[in-house]
Amino acid sequence: MTDASTLSHMNIKDMSRRWLKRGEGGRLHAENIPLHHIADVVGTPFYCYSAGALRDNYARLKAAVAASGVSICFAVKACSNINILAELARQGCGMDIVSGGEMARALAAGTPPERIIFSGVGKTRAEIHGALEAGVYQLNVESQAELDIVAAVARETQIRAPIALRVNPDVDALTHAKITTAKKDSKFGIAIGEIPALYAAASARPELRMVGLAVHIGSQILDLTPFRDAWSALAGLVRRLRDDGFSVERLDLGGGLGIGDDIQAGPDLAEYAAIIAATVGDLGCKLNIEPGRWLSGRTGVLASEVLYVKQSAGTPIAVIDAAMNDLMRPALYSARHPVLTDGPARAVEPGSDDVCRIVGPICESSDDFGKYEGLGTVLAGDLLVFDNVGAYGAAMSSTYNSRDLVAEVLVDGERFRVVRRRATIADALQLEQPEAWHSKKNPVG
Ligand code: LLP
Protein backbone atom coordinates (compact mmCIF):
# COMPACT_ATOMS: atom_id res chain seq x y z
CA MET A 1 0.00 0.00 0.00
CA THR A 2 1.22 3.43 -0.83
CA ASP A 3 -0.26 6.84 -1.36
CA ALA A 4 1.58 7.43 -4.64
CA SER A 5 -0.93 8.78 -7.15
CA THR A 6 -0.06 6.18 -9.74
CA LEU A 7 1.09 2.74 -8.82
CA SER A 8 3.24 0.70 -11.12
CA HIS A 9 1.93 -2.71 -11.89
CA MET A 10 4.79 -5.07 -11.22
CA ASN A 11 5.13 -8.73 -11.45
CA ILE A 12 5.33 -10.01 -7.93
CA LYS A 13 9.03 -10.11 -7.25
CA ASP A 14 9.08 -12.79 -4.65
CA MET A 15 6.66 -15.14 -6.41
CA SER A 16 8.43 -18.25 -5.28
CA ARG A 17 8.02 -17.33 -1.63
CA ARG A 18 4.44 -16.17 -1.92
CA TRP A 19 1.26 -18.15 -2.12
CA LEU A 20 0.03 -16.12 -5.07
CA LYS A 21 1.95 -17.41 -8.05
CA ARG A 22 1.84 -17.25 -11.79
CA GLY A 23 1.27 -20.64 -13.36
CA GLU A 24 0.88 -21.75 -16.93
CA GLY A 25 0.27 -18.87 -19.34
CA GLY A 26 1.03 -16.40 -16.56
CA ARG A 27 -2.33 -17.07 -14.93
CA LEU A 28 -2.62 -16.40 -11.21
CA HIS A 29 -2.80 -19.27 -8.79
CA ALA A 30 -3.78 -19.13 -5.14
CA GLU A 31 -1.51 -21.81 -3.69
CA ASN A 32 -2.25 -24.54 -6.27
CA ILE A 33 -5.64 -23.40 -7.49
CA PRO A 34 -6.08 -21.15 -10.55
CA LEU A 35 -7.99 -18.03 -9.51
CA HIS A 36 -10.03 -18.14 -12.71
CA HIS A 37 -11.24 -21.58 -11.71
CA ILE A 38 -12.48 -20.22 -8.39
CA ALA A 39 -14.15 -17.38 -10.30
CA ASP A 40 -15.95 -19.93 -12.50
CA VAL A 41 -17.25 -21.80 -9.47
CA VAL A 42 -17.98 -18.94 -7.08
CA GLY A 43 -18.56 -15.95 -9.37
CA THR A 44 -16.98 -12.54 -8.84
CA PRO A 45 -16.13 -10.53 -6.86
CA PHE A 46 -14.64 -12.70 -4.15
CA TYR A 47 -11.93 -12.52 -1.53
CA CYS A 48 -9.50 -15.39 -1.56
CA TYR A 49 -7.25 -16.24 1.38
CA SER A 50 -4.40 -18.68 1.73
CA ALA A 51 -4.57 -20.92 4.80
CA GLY A 52 -0.92 -21.83 4.32
CA ALA A 53 0.20 -18.21 4.26
CA LEU A 54 -1.75 -17.46 7.43
CA ARG A 55 -0.15 -20.36 9.26
CA ASP A 56 3.29 -19.32 7.98
CA ASN A 57 2.80 -15.73 9.08
CA TYR A 58 1.73 -16.81 12.54
CA ALA A 59 4.70 -19.17 12.84
CA ARG A 60 7.15 -16.48 11.64
CA LEU A 61 5.88 -13.84 14.02
CA LYS A 62 5.70 -16.29 16.90
CA ALA A 63 9.29 -17.34 16.29
CA ALA A 64 10.46 -13.73 16.02
CA VAL A 65 9.06 -12.73 19.40
CA ALA A 66 9.56 -16.06 21.18
CA ALA A 67 12.67 -14.96 23.02
CA SER A 68 10.68 -12.40 25.03
CA GLY A 69 7.88 -14.92 25.66
CA VAL A 70 5.37 -12.77 23.80
CA SER A 71 1.98 -14.27 23.06
CA ILE A 72 -0.03 -13.20 20.06
CA CYS A 73 -3.67 -12.16 19.97
CA PHE A 74 -5.00 -11.60 16.45
CA ALA A 75 -7.02 -8.38 16.10
CA VAL A 76 -10.29 -9.92 14.95
CA LYS A 77 -11.43 -6.69 13.30
CA ALA A 78 -8.82 -7.13 10.57
CA CYS A 79 -10.34 -10.30 9.18
CA SER A 80 -13.23 -11.57 11.21
CA ASN A 81 -14.31 -14.64 9.23
CA ILE A 82 -14.52 -17.48 11.74
CA ASN A 83 -12.76 -19.86 9.38
CA ILE A 84 -9.75 -17.55 9.30
CA LEU A 85 -9.89 -17.16 13.06
CA ALA A 86 -10.12 -20.94 13.47
CA GLU A 87 -7.03 -21.39 11.32
CA LEU A 88 -5.12 -19.11 13.71
CA ALA A 89 -6.74 -20.44 16.89
CA ARG A 90 -5.63 -23.96 15.95
CA GLN A 91 -2.04 -22.68 15.91
CA GLY A 92 -2.48 -21.42 19.47
CA CYS A 93 -3.14 -17.79 18.54
CA GLY A 94 -5.32 -15.76 20.92
CA MET A 95 -7.76 -13.04 19.86
CA ASP A 96 -8.08 -9.33 20.50
CA ILE A 97 -11.74 -8.32 20.33
CA VAL A 98 -13.61 -5.01 20.45
CA SER A 99 -17.25 -6.08 20.62
CA GLY A 100 -19.57 -8.80 21.81
CA GLY A 101 -19.90 -9.82 18.17
CA GLU A 102 -16.16 -10.31 17.88
CA MET A 103 -16.19 -12.30 21.12
CA ALA A 104 -18.85 -14.59 19.66
CA ARG A 105 -16.68 -15.04 16.57
CA ALA A 106 -13.53 -15.75 18.58
CA LEU A 107 -15.36 -18.35 20.68
CA ALA A 108 -17.09 -19.89 17.66
CA ALA A 109 -13.66 -20.26 16.07
CA GLY A 110 -12.56 -22.33 19.06
CA THR A 111 -10.43 -19.73 20.87
CA PRO A 112 -10.23 -20.55 24.58
CA PRO A 113 -11.63 -17.57 26.55
CA GLU A 114 -8.38 -17.32 28.48
CA ARG A 115 -6.72 -16.31 25.20
CA ILE A 116 -9.16 -13.46 24.51
CA ILE A 117 -8.43 -9.83 25.30
CA PHE A 118 -11.31 -7.35 25.19
CA SER A 119 -10.15 -3.94 23.93
CA GLY A 120 -12.19 -0.97 22.79
CA VAL A 121 -13.20 2.47 23.95
CA GLY A 122 -16.95 1.92 24.17
CA LYS A 123 -17.85 -1.46 25.62
CA THR A 124 -21.50 -1.73 26.60
CA ARG A 125 -22.66 -3.08 29.93
CA ALA A 126 -24.03 -6.14 28.15
CA GLU A 127 -20.69 -6.75 26.42
CA ILE A 128 -18.78 -6.43 29.70
CA HIS A 129 -21.26 -8.80 31.32
CA GLY A 130 -20.79 -11.34 28.50
CA ALA A 131 -17.02 -11.08 28.64
CA LEU A 132 -16.87 -11.66 32.41
CA GLU A 133 -19.26 -14.60 32.15
CA ALA A 134 -17.18 -16.08 29.35
CA GLY A 135 -14.01 -15.70 31.42
CA VAL A 136 -11.86 -13.62 29.07
CA TYR A 137 -8.20 -13.12 29.89
CA GLN A 138 -8.48 -9.38 30.42
CA LEU A 139 -10.41 -6.22 29.70
CA ASN A 140 -8.41 -3.25 28.50
CA VAL A 141 -10.15 -0.30 30.09
CA GLU A 142 -9.96 3.17 28.57
CA SER A 143 -11.55 5.55 31.11
CA GLN A 144 -12.52 6.07 34.72
CA ALA A 145 -16.16 5.92 33.66
CA GLU A 146 -15.67 2.53 32.02
CA LEU A 147 -13.84 1.28 35.09
CA ASP A 148 -16.88 2.17 37.22
CA ILE A 149 -19.21 0.22 34.94
CA VAL A 150 -16.87 -2.79 34.86
CA ALA A 151 -16.75 -2.73 38.66
CA ALA A 152 -20.55 -2.57 38.85
CA VAL A 153 -20.95 -5.51 36.45
CA ALA A 154 -18.28 -7.44 38.34
CA ARG A 155 -20.26 -6.93 41.55
CA GLU A 156 -23.49 -8.08 39.91
CA THR A 157 -21.94 -11.17 38.39
CA GLN A 158 -19.68 -11.88 41.36
CA ILE A 159 -16.82 -12.32 38.90
CA ARG A 160 -13.65 -10.42 39.64
CA ALA A 161 -12.66 -8.50 36.52
CA PRO A 162 -9.05 -8.76 35.26
CA ILE A 163 -8.15 -5.24 34.15
CA ALA A 164 -5.37 -3.59 32.18
CA LEU A 165 -5.51 0.17 31.77
CA ARG A 166 -4.95 1.37 28.20
CA VAL A 167 -2.36 4.10 28.31
CA ASN A 168 -2.27 7.01 25.90
CA PRO A 169 1.47 7.74 25.75
CA ASP A 170 1.11 10.75 23.40
CA VAL A 171 3.17 9.20 20.62
CA ASP A 172 2.70 9.89 16.93
CA ALA A 173 2.64 6.56 15.10
CA LEU A 174 3.75 8.29 11.86
CA THR A 175 0.98 6.69 9.84
CA HIS A 176 -2.31 7.78 8.23
CA ALA A 177 -4.19 10.27 10.44
CA LYS A 178 -7.31 8.11 10.50
CA ILE A 179 -5.45 5.16 12.00
CA THR A 180 -3.29 7.10 14.47
CA THR A 181 -4.54 6.36 17.97
CA ALA A 182 -2.17 7.57 20.67
CA LYS A 183 -1.66 11.28 20.26
CA LYS A 184 -2.68 13.48 23.16
CA ASP A 185 -6.03 14.45 21.63
CA SER A 186 -6.97 10.90 20.66
CA LYS A 187 -10.23 9.39 21.86
CA PHE A 188 -8.34 6.28 22.94
CA GLY A 189 -6.75 5.36 26.23
CA ILE A 190 -6.03 7.27 29.41
CA ALA A 191 -3.45 10.05 29.51
CA ILE A 192 -0.22 8.61 30.84
CA GLY A 193 -0.07 11.17 33.66
CA GLU A 194 -3.44 10.05 35.01
CA ILE A 195 -2.58 6.37 35.19
CA PRO A 196 -0.82 6.18 38.60
CA ALA A 197 -3.75 7.63 40.52
CA LEU A 198 -6.29 5.58 38.62
CA TYR A 199 -4.28 2.37 38.97
CA ALA A 200 -3.94 2.97 42.70
CA ALA A 201 -7.64 3.66 43.19
CA ALA A 202 -8.66 0.68 41.07
CA SER A 203 -6.27 -1.62 42.94
CA ALA A 204 -8.22 -0.89 46.11
CA ARG A 205 -11.49 -2.16 44.61
CA PRO A 206 -12.15 -5.81 45.45
CA GLU A 207 -14.22 -6.40 42.29
CA LEU A 208 -11.23 -5.57 40.12
CA ARG A 209 -7.96 -7.40 39.67
CA MET A 210 -5.44 -4.94 38.26
CA VAL A 211 -3.20 -7.04 36.04
CA GLY A 212 -1.33 -4.45 34.03
CA LEU A 213 -1.22 -1.95 31.21
CA ALA A 214 -2.01 -1.85 27.50
CA VAL A 215 -1.10 0.43 24.64
CA HIS A 216 -1.99 0.60 20.95
CA ILE A 217 -0.62 3.54 19.01
CA GLY A 218 -1.98 3.07 15.50
CA SER A 219 -2.00 0.87 12.44
CA GLN A 220 0.10 0.23 9.31
CA ILE A 221 3.22 1.43 11.16
CA LEU A 222 6.31 1.09 8.98
CA ASP A 223 8.83 3.15 10.96
CA LEU A 224 9.37 1.27 14.22
CA THR A 225 10.59 4.28 16.23
CA PRO A 226 7.12 5.11 17.63
CA PHE A 227 6.88 1.59 19.07
CA ARG A 228 10.16 2.18 20.87
CA ASP A 229 8.88 5.48 22.25
CA ALA A 230 5.54 4.08 23.38
CA TRP A 231 6.95 0.94 24.99
CA SER A 232 9.73 2.88 26.71
CA ALA A 233 7.08 5.13 28.21
CA LEU A 234 5.16 2.04 29.28
CA ALA A 235 8.25 0.59 30.93
CA GLY A 236 8.77 3.83 32.86
CA LEU A 237 5.20 3.64 34.05
CA VAL A 238 5.58 0.01 35.18
CA ARG A 239 8.60 0.99 37.29
CA ARG A 240 6.74 3.92 38.77
CA LEU A 241 3.69 1.79 39.66
CA ARG A 242 5.90 -0.85 41.22
CA ASP A 243 7.73 1.81 43.22
CA ASP A 244 4.32 2.88 44.44
CA GLY A 245 3.78 -0.69 45.65
CA PHE A 246 1.46 -2.02 42.93
CA SER A 247 1.78 -5.20 40.99
CA VAL A 248 1.98 -5.00 37.19
CA GLU A 249 2.02 -8.54 35.80
CA ARG A 250 1.07 -8.05 32.19
CA LEU A 251 1.77 -5.69 29.30
CA ASP A 252 -0.29 -5.63 26.14
CA LEU A 253 1.87 -3.94 23.51
CA GLY A 254 -0.92 -3.52 20.94
CA GLY A 255 -1.00 -4.12 17.22
CA GLY A 256 -0.02 -1.83 14.40
CA LEU A 257 2.89 -3.57 12.73
CA GLY A 258 2.66 -2.56 9.09
CA ILE A 259 3.10 -4.56 5.92
CA GLY A 260 5.08 -3.70 2.85
CA ASP A 261 4.26 -4.25 -0.78
CA ASP A 262 6.22 -4.21 -4.01
CA ILE A 263 6.92 -0.50 -3.58
CA GLN A 264 7.79 -0.19 0.10
CA ALA A 265 9.53 -2.80 2.18
CA GLY A 266 7.74 -3.92 5.34
CA PRO A 267 9.32 -3.54 8.75
CA ASP A 268 11.94 -6.02 9.83
CA LEU A 269 10.56 -8.59 12.26
CA ALA A 270 13.87 -9.07 14.01
CA GLU A 271 14.11 -5.34 14.64
CA TYR A 272 10.53 -5.28 15.96
CA ALA A 273 11.34 -8.14 18.32
CA ALA A 274 14.57 -6.45 19.41
CA ILE A 275 12.67 -3.29 20.32
CA ILE A 276 10.29 -5.33 22.47
CA ALA A 277 13.23 -6.98 24.22
CA ALA A 278 15.07 -3.68 24.71
CA THR A 279 12.13 -1.70 26.04
CA VAL A 280 10.00 -4.08 28.11
CA GLY A 281 11.89 -7.37 27.98
CA ASP A 282 13.48 -7.10 31.41
CA LEU A 283 10.40 -6.23 33.45
CA GLY A 284 9.32 -9.80 34.11
CA CYS A 285 5.87 -9.03 32.71
CA LYS A 286 3.79 -11.45 30.67
CA LEU A 287 3.79 -9.78 27.26
CA ASN A 288 1.37 -9.92 24.36
CA ILE A 289 0.88 -8.20 21.03
CA GLU A 290 -2.31 -7.69 19.00
CA PRO A 291 -1.40 -7.72 15.32
CA GLY A 292 -4.16 -7.73 12.74
CA ARG A 293 -2.81 -6.50 9.42
CA TRP A 294 0.61 -8.13 9.73
CA LEU A 295 -0.92 -11.59 10.16
CA SER A 296 -3.66 -11.48 7.53
CA GLY A 297 -3.01 -8.54 5.21
CA ARG A 298 -0.79 -10.30 2.72
CA THR A 299 -2.76 -13.54 2.87
CA GLY A 300 -5.78 -12.27 0.94
CA VAL A 301 -6.66 -10.92 -2.51
CA LEU A 302 -9.85 -9.58 -4.03
CA ALA A 303 -10.69 -10.91 -7.49
CA SER A 304 -13.03 -8.95 -9.72
CA GLU A 305 -14.18 -9.08 -13.32
CA VAL A 306 -14.01 -6.15 -15.71
CA LEU A 307 -17.56 -5.31 -16.81
CA TYR A 308 -16.88 -2.50 -19.28
CA VAL A 309 -14.02 -0.42 -20.57
CA LYS A 310 -14.72 3.20 -21.47
CA GLN A 311 -12.64 6.29 -22.05
CA SER A 312 -12.56 9.44 -19.95
CA ALA A 313 -10.32 12.39 -20.84
CA GLY A 314 -8.11 10.09 -22.89
CA THR A 315 -7.63 7.49 -20.13
CA PRO A 316 -9.23 4.06 -20.31
CA ILE A 317 -11.51 3.32 -17.40
CA ALA A 318 -12.15 -0.26 -16.40
CA VAL A 319 -15.50 -0.56 -14.64
CA ILE A 320 -15.17 -3.68 -12.50
CA ASP A 321 -17.73 -5.69 -10.58
CA ALA A 322 -16.10 -4.96 -7.21
CA ALA A 323 -16.78 -1.60 -5.62
CA MET A 324 -16.06 0.51 -2.57
CA ASN A 325 -18.58 -1.56 -0.62
CA ASP A 326 -16.36 -4.61 -1.15
CA LEU A 327 -13.04 -2.84 -0.52
CA MET A 328 -13.42 0.47 1.31
CA ARG A 329 -9.79 1.32 1.92
CA PRO A 330 -9.17 3.31 -1.28
CA ALA A 331 -12.30 5.44 -0.78
CA LEU A 332 -11.78 5.88 2.95
CA TYR A 333 -8.02 6.33 3.27
CA SER A 334 -6.91 6.91 -0.34
CA ALA A 335 -5.14 3.58 0.10
CA ARG A 336 -3.59 1.86 -2.89
CA HIS A 337 -3.35 -1.88 -3.32
CA PRO A 338 -1.30 -3.49 -6.08
CA VAL A 339 -3.43 -4.73 -8.98
CA LEU A 340 -2.50 -7.83 -10.95
CA THR A 341 -3.80 -9.05 -14.27
CA ASP A 342 -4.67 -12.73 -14.56
CA GLY A 343 -2.14 -13.52 -17.26
CA PRO A 344 0.43 -11.31 -18.95
CA ALA A 345 -0.48 -7.70 -19.69
CA ARG A 346 -1.61 -7.14 -23.30
CA ALA A 347 0.33 -4.58 -25.32
CA VAL A 348 -1.20 -1.12 -25.52
CA GLU A 349 -1.74 0.81 -28.77
CA PRO A 350 1.57 2.28 -29.91
CA GLY A 351 1.89 5.83 -28.60
CA SER A 352 -0.65 5.38 -25.76
CA ASP A 353 0.26 5.53 -22.11
CA ASP A 354 -0.01 2.26 -20.28
CA VAL A 355 -2.37 3.65 -17.66
CA CYS A 356 -5.80 2.40 -16.69
CA ARG A 357 -8.18 3.82 -14.13
CA ILE A 358 -10.16 1.25 -12.19
CA VAL A 359 -13.59 2.13 -10.84
CA GLY A 360 -16.54 0.29 -9.35
CA PRO A 361 -20.23 0.54 -10.25
CA ILE A 362 -21.37 2.52 -7.18
CA CYS A 363 -23.07 5.82 -7.79
CA GLU A 364 -20.54 8.18 -6.27
CA SER A 365 -17.18 9.41 -7.40
CA SER A 366 -15.36 8.01 -4.37
CA ASP A 367 -15.92 4.55 -5.81
CA ASP A 368 -12.61 4.83 -7.61
CA PHE A 369 -9.61 2.56 -7.03
CA GLY A 370 -7.29 4.95 -8.85
CA LYS A 371 -4.99 4.89 -11.86
CA TYR A 372 -2.66 1.99 -12.37
CA GLU A 373 0.30 1.72 -14.72
CA GLY A 374 1.45 -1.35 -16.55
CA LEU A 375 -1.80 -3.28 -16.73
CA GLY A 376 -1.67 -3.19 -20.53
CA THR A 377 -4.87 -3.19 -22.55
CA VAL A 378 -7.64 -4.23 -20.22
CA LEU A 379 -10.75 -5.79 -21.76
CA ALA A 380 -14.22 -6.62 -20.51
CA GLY A 381 -14.22 -10.10 -19.04
CA ASP A 382 -10.68 -9.83 -17.65
CA LEU A 383 -10.02 -10.82 -14.05
CA LEU A 384 -8.26 -8.08 -12.05
CA VAL A 385 -6.87 -8.91 -8.64
CA PHE A 386 -6.20 -6.51 -5.74
CA ASP A 387 -3.33 -7.76 -3.66
CA ASN A 388 -2.67 -7.42 0.09
CA VAL A 389 -6.31 -7.02 1.08
CA GLY A 390 -6.54 -9.80 3.64
CA ALA A 391 -6.86 -7.23 6.43
CA TYR A 392 -9.62 -4.61 6.59
CA GLY A 393 -10.96 -5.82 3.25
CA ALA A 394 -13.91 -8.18 3.62
CA ALA A 395 -14.14 -7.22 7.29
CA MET A 396 -15.15 -3.68 6.28
CA SER A 397 -17.41 -4.66 3.39
CA SER A 398 -21.05 -3.65 3.26
CA THR A 399 -24.06 -3.92 0.97
CA TYR A 400 -24.20 -0.22 -0.01
CA ASN A 401 -26.20 0.30 -3.21
CA SER A 402 -28.00 -2.96 -2.32
CA ARG A 403 -25.11 -4.94 -3.67
CA ASP A 404 -24.42 -8.48 -2.52
CA LEU A 405 -22.14 -8.90 0.46
CA VAL A 406 -18.92 -10.18 -1.06
CA ALA A 407 -18.07 -13.89 -0.91
CA GLU A 408 -14.95 -15.23 0.80
CA VAL A 409 -12.96 -18.29 -0.25
CA LEU A 410 -10.22 -20.12 1.63
CA VAL A 411 -7.57 -22.05 -0.26
CA ASP A 412 -5.50 -24.75 1.38
CA GLY A 413 -3.03 -26.50 -0.92
CA GLU A 414 -5.00 -28.35 -3.56
CA ARG A 415 -8.42 -27.44 -2.16
CA PHE A 416 -10.62 -24.40 -1.78
CA ARG A 417 -13.98 -23.72 -0.27
CA VAL A 418 -16.39 -20.86 0.18
CA VAL A 419 -16.12 -19.68 3.78
CA ARG A 420 -18.66 -16.88 3.47
CA ARG A 421 -21.33 -17.34 0.90
CA ARG A 422 -22.28 -14.29 -1.07
CA ALA A 423 -25.16 -12.67 0.83
CA THR A 424 -27.79 -11.74 -1.69
CA ILE A 425 -30.61 -9.26 -1.91
CA ALA A 426 -32.94 -12.04 -0.78
CA ASP A 427 -31.00 -12.18 2.51
CA ALA A 428 -31.21 -8.41 2.85
CA LEU A 429 -34.94 -8.26 2.15
CA GLN A 430 -35.51 -10.93 4.75
CA LEU A 431 -34.07 -8.65 7.44
CA GLU A 432 -36.38 -5.89 6.37
CA GLN A 433 -39.65 -7.74 6.90
CA PRO A 434 -41.51 -5.29 9.13
CA GLU A 435 -42.33 -6.27 12.68
CA ALA A 436 -45.64 -5.38 14.34
CA TRP A 437 -46.13 -1.66 15.00
CA HIS A 438 -45.42 -0.49 18.54
CA SER A 439 -47.53 2.25 20.06
CA LYS A 440 -46.76 4.60 22.94
CA LYS A 441 -47.54 2.80 26.19
CA ASN A 442 -48.40 5.85 28.26
CA PRO A 443 -49.50 8.64 25.98
CA VAL A 444 -49.09 12.01 27.65
CA GLY A 445 -52.04 14.44 27.74
N1 LLP B 1 -5.40 -3.52 18.82
C1 LLP B 1 -6.26 -2.51 18.86
C2 LLP B 1 -6.73 -2.02 20.17
C3 LLP B 1 -6.69 -1.88 17.67
O1 LLP B 1 -7.54 -0.85 17.72
C4 LLP B 1 -6.21 -2.37 16.43
C5 LLP B 1 -6.63 -1.76 15.17
C6 LLP B 1 -5.33 -3.47 16.43
C7 LLP B 1 -4.93 -4.02 17.65
C8 LLP B 1 -4.78 -4.07 15.18
O2 LLP B 1 -4.03 -3.18 14.43
P1 LLP B 1 -3.18 -3.72 13.17
O3 LLP B 1 -2.14 -4.67 13.70
O4 LLP B 1 -4.12 -4.40 12.27
O5 LLP B 1 -2.61 -2.50 12.59
N2 LLP B 1 -9.46 0.05 9.00
C9 LLP B 1 -8.10 0.55 9.04
C10 LLP B 1 -7.33 0.00 10.20
C11 LLP B 1 -7.98 0.30 11.54
C12 LLP B 1 -7.22 -0.28 12.70
C13 LLP B 1 -8.00 -0.14 13.95
N3 LLP B 1 -7.40 -0.74 15.10
C14 LLP B 1 -7.41 0.25 7.72
O6 LLP B 1 -8.02 -0.33 6.83
O7 LLP B 1 -6.25 0.61 7.53
Side-chain angles (χ1 to χ4, degrees):
M1 284 161 295
T2 162
D3 283 334
S5 61
T6 312
L7 188 72
S8 287
H9 163 68
M10 298 190 182
N11 285 328
I12 301 170
K13 281 181 258 165
D14 50 357
M15 276 296 188
S16 55
R17 195 169 57 74
R18 287 211 60 198
W19 63 278
L20 190 66
K21 307 177 258 228
R22 289 205 186 269
E24 216 175 294
R27 302 205 78 173
L28 291 169
H29 285 55
E31 299 198 19
N32 297 321
I33 315 274
L35 273 186
H36 66 90
H37 175 56
I38 301 177
D40 288 344
V41 174
V42 177
T44 51
F46 64 89
Y47 277 86
C48 176
Y49 309 99
S50 157
L54 258 179
R55 292 191 292 261
D56 282 359
N57 277 357
Y58 178 73
R60 277 182 64 204
L61 189 57
K62 180 94 198 141
V65 296
S68 303
V70 177
S71 41
I72 302 176
C73 290
F74 178 61
V76 170
K77 63 171 81 67
C79 191
S80 47
N81 188 299
I82 56 170
N83 300 277
I84 297 291
L85 303 183
E87 208 55 66
L88 290 168
R90 274 196 290 275
Q91 311 302 308
C93 187
M95 301 290 156
D96 168 65
I97 59 162
V98 291
S99 68
E102 287 192 351
M103 185 172 82
R105 287 178 176 279
L107 294 172
T111 317
E114 62 275 13
R115 292 218 180 109
I116 297 177
I117 291 183
F118 197 171
S119 301
V121 67
K123 304 174 196 73
T124 66
R125 231 184 147 94
E127 286 173 331
I128 294 165
H129 195 282
L132 291 183
E133 293 279 1
V136 300
Y137 180 66
Q138 112 195 355
L139 286 91
N140 292 350
V141 166
E142 303 211 14
S143 63
Q144 166 76 63
E146 185 190 342
L147 204 55
D148 292 341
I149 296 295
V150 173
V153 177
R155 257 195 315 278
E156 274 158 37
T157 54
Q158 296 286 298
I159 300 169
R160 200 161 176 227
I163 305 290
L165 294 183
R166 175 165 170 182
V167 180
N168 177 339
D170 189 16
V171 166
D172 186 345
L174 307 177
T175 181
H176 192 289
K178 288 190 177 160
I179 49 177
T180 295
T181 53
K183 291 213 285 197
K184 188 161 71 250
D185 60 352
S186 166
K187 71 172 180 176
F188 299 103
I190 299 164
I192 193 160
E194 294 171 18
I195 295 281
L198 200 53
Y199 204 94
S203 298
R205 300 173 85 154
E207 320 88 314
L208 307 178
R209 188 162 92 77
M210 298 308 290
V211 294
L213 302 171
V215 73
H216 171 75
I217 61 172
S219 193
Q220 183 53 8
I221 297 169
L222 295 171
D223 174 347
L224 299 178
T225 319
F227 284 125
R228 184 185 291 280
D229 295 344
W231 298 337
S232 301
L234 209 57
L237 194 53
V238 172
R239 294 196 181 95
R240 156 84 199 268
L241 290 172
R242 286 179 175 166
D243 285 348
D244 291 350
F246 300 106
S247 134
V248 185
E249 298 160 37
R250 308 178 187 166
L251 289 183
D252 177 347
L253 305 176
L257 187 60
I259 52 172
D261 57 21
D262 295 324
I263 308 289
Q264 267 172 303
D268 180 38
L269 274 191
E271 195 185 332
Y272 175 75
I275 294 175
I276 294 179
T279 52
V280 293
D282 64 348
L283 296 169
C285 289
K286 179 80 200 80
L287 304 175
N288 77 273
I289 52 174
E290 303 167 346
R293 192 183 323 259
W294 196 91
L295 284 176
S296 71
R298 284 169 61 91
T299 70
V301 297
L302 171 64
S304 172
E305 188 178 309
V306 178
L307 297 173
Y308 304 103
V309 177
K310 60 190 271 188
Q311 299 285 324
S312 169
T315 304
I317 296 189
V319 184
I320 62 173
D321 67 1
M324 63 187 281
N325 70 301
D326 304 305
L327 176 62
M328 268 184 84
R329 304 196 70 260
L332 200 55
Y333 315 114
S334 307
R336 307 272 307 184
H337 291 272
V339 173
L340 307 167
T341 53
D342 183 35
R346 287 183 205 92
V348 292
E349 294 278 318
S352 334
D353 292 337
D354 191 354
V355 172
C356 179
R357 192 168 139 204
I358 302 175
V359 304
I362 282 184
C363 299
E364 61 176 78
S365 299
S366 47
D367 187 21
D368 193 329
F369 296 103
K371 285 183 181 167
Y372 287 81
E373 272 177 13
L375 297 178
T377 299
V378 172
L379 300 177
D382 283 356
L383 203 61
L384 290 184
V385 175
F386 290 91
D387 200 3
N388 298 344
V389 292
Y392 308 108
M396 292 174 74
S397 61
S398 76
T399 59
Y400 183 42
N401 272 214
S402 291
R403 291 166 49 81
D404 292 347
L405 190 64
V406 65
E408 295 177 280
V409 171
L410 183 65
V411 173
D412 199 351
E414 310 289 333
R415 310 181 297 176
F416 73 95
R417 62 172 162 187
V418 173
V419 289
R420 178 168 86 181
R421 77 166 169 83
R422 198 178 302 287
T424 64
I425 188 62
D427 296 308
L429 293 180
Q430 192 60 40
L431 295 173
E432 293 172 33
Q433 292 306 305
E435 296 182 354
W437 293 105
H438 293 265
S439 53
K440 268 198 229 167
K441 266 204 183 127
N442 299 308
V444 180

